[in-house]
Amino acid sequence: MDFLTSFIGFFQSGGMFMYFIALVLVFGLAIALERYLYLSGTKMSNSRAWKQVGPMLENGSFQQAANFVGKSKAAISKMISYGLDNARTLRRAGDIEMAMEEGLMEIIPRLEKRTHYIATLANIATLLGLLGTIMGLIEAFTAVSAADPSEKANLLSASISIAMNTTAFGLMVGIPLLLIHSVIQAKTTELVDSMEMASVKFVNAVTRRMRAQSASQAATEGANR
């Protein structure tokens, strides 16, 4: 209770800039929560989809895999569906890999959407704190200039203490938002890396299947001769 009372007094003494910084905090946390839930949901859906479609690709059941990813809403399913569609017309592993990369590039913007705003809001909170302090100091020196000489020292120290509250609050908001941005960025990178690994496994499965078909066709032609 004492902490809450102290914080309320700290907040109220900072002036109007404290409310702007608090608003930045609310926006930053809202974006961070939305991104965290979205990325967590995407990771779980990708994991479930890969557990089912992975064995199909390894066994060469591409039609079954195509039917599954066509119904799935997971991001990784869309990428694999893109690869399966192009695997029917492309024969070189490099071409299939580039097609998969193109599919992945369509997904990445949705994973990174709004994440950069968190870092921007962290910087805005810090700058608002500094601006609030500067404005507070201007007001303090203006008030001191008209005050009684015997009260100037006490009045100035009290005014500066209050003005520094906005810088402190700006840092209290900016630093956590930067840390949250790093966490969200790391989670996004991990998700992209997992999809790139799935892309490589897909290309390898398709390549092995093509080689097996080529070897079988060559053996059949040799037997007919």
Side-chain angles (χ1 to χ4, degrees):
M1 191 66 180
D2 291 339
F3 172 78
L4 181 59
T5 303
S6 300
F7 181 78
I8 292 174
F10 163 81
F11 186 88
Q12 291 177 339
S13 64
M16 67 174 184
F17 282 93
M18 301 290 272
Y19 295 95
F20 293 135
I21 297 171
L23 189 62
V24 169
L25 175 62
V26 171
F27 277 116
L29 291 179
I31 294 173
L33 180 61
E34 185 273 332
R35 285 290 85 194
Y36 185 85
L37 293 176
Y38 176 81
L39 294 174
S40 298
T42 301
K43 182 179 179 179
M44 292 177 62
S45 62
N46 281 353
S47 179
R48 288 195 298 264
W50 181 252
K51 285 181 180 178
Q52 297 186 57
V53 77
M56 300 176 190
L57 297 174
E58 290 294 330
N59 295 333
S61 304
F62 296 128
Q63 186 56 49
Q64 185 180 1
N67 293 335
F68 173 81
V69 297
K71 299 176 182 178
S72 176
K73 295 183 179 180
I76 197 171
S77 297
K78 294 180 181 179
M79 183 185 70
I80 294 173
S81 177
Y82 199 94
L84 286 170
D85 291 341
N86 285 274
R88 296 189 181 98
T89 56
L90 302 176
R91 292 302 174 186
R92 292 191 304 174
D95 294 335
I96 298 175
E97 186 175 357
M98 290 194 64
M100 292 287 288
E101 188 71 20
E102 183 179 348
L104 181 60
M105 292 301 292
E106 293 181 2
I107 298 172
I108 288 177
R110 292 198 294 271
L111 301 179
E112 296 179 341
K113 191 176 181 180
R114 287 187 291 274
T115 300
H116 64 283
Y117 290 145
I118 302 174
T120 302
L121 290 171
N123 292 328
I124 290 174
T126 304
L127 293 174
L128 282 174
L130 293 173
L131 180 59
T133 296
I134 296 300
M135 297 300 294
L137 290 175
I138 292 173
E139 292 179 6
F141 282 111
T142 301
V144 166
S145 64
D148 187 86
S150 61
E151 299 178 355
K152 282 189 177 182
N154 292 334
L155 183 60
L156 183 61
S157 61
S159 299
I160 291 175
S161 177
I162 293 174
M164 294 298 291
N165 286 358
T166 55
T167 294
F169 189 50
L171 292 173
M172 290 167 61
V173 170
I175 292 173
L177 285 181
L178 284 177
L179 292 175
I180 291 172
H181 174 263
S182 297
V183 172
I184 298 297
Q185 192 68 46
K187 196 172 184 65
T188 303
T189 301
E190 180 185 0
L191 189 55
V192 172
D193 289 343
S194 67
M195 295 183 69
E196 288 179 345
M197 179 59 68
S199 174
V200 172
K201 291 181 178 180
F202 172 84
V203 173
N204 290 339
V206 172
T207 302
R208 285 194 297 268
R209 184 66 174 175
M210 287 180 175
R211 289 175 179 173
Q213 290 178 346
S214 298
S216 176
Q217 184 177 0
T220 302
E221 292 177 354
N224 291 335
R225 292 177 183 175

